[in-house]
Amino acid sequence: EYAYAVLDALENSAAMVPAHWWLEVANAVLSGERKGRLTAGEAARFLALLDGLAVTVDSQTAVKSLTDTFALA
C-alpha cells in the first residue's frame, strides 16, 4: 500500500535520491531474482518502470558524504 502511494506521488513530483541509489536498486532486484522472488521478466519490467519515474540524482552525494554525513556519523 505504501509503495503504491509513493508511485502515485511520483506522478506529480520528483524524488531526490543519492548518487548510489541505482546501484542499490540493481543489487536488490538482482538479489530478488537470484532468490526466486521475481523472474527475469519481472525484474526487467520493474527497472523499466523505475527508469520512467521522475527521479533526480543528487550530484552532491560524494561531497556530502565527506562533510555532512561524516559529521552525523
Side-chain angles (χ1 to χ4, degrees):
E1 187 176 306
Y2 178 79
Y4 286 118
V6 171
L7 186 59
D8 288 341
L10 286 173
E11 288 182 13
N12 300 314
S13 60
M16 174 75 69
V17 299
H20 66 279
W21 186 73
W22 284 109
L23 295 172
E24 294 289 348
V25 168
N27 182 54
V29 171
L30 183 58
S31 178
E33 186 180 336
R34 286 181 176 164
K35 292 178 181 179
R37 294 183 180 145
L38 67 161
T39 66
E42 290 169 331
R45 283 191 298 277
F46 178 73
L47 292 175
L49 171 68
L50 283 181
D51 193 40
L53 296 177
V55 174
T56 302
V57 176
D58 176 20
S59 63
Q60 295 296 306
T61 298
V63 173
K64 290 177 185 175
S65 69
L66 293 175
T67 56
D68 300 347
T69 306
F70 188 79
L72 284 172

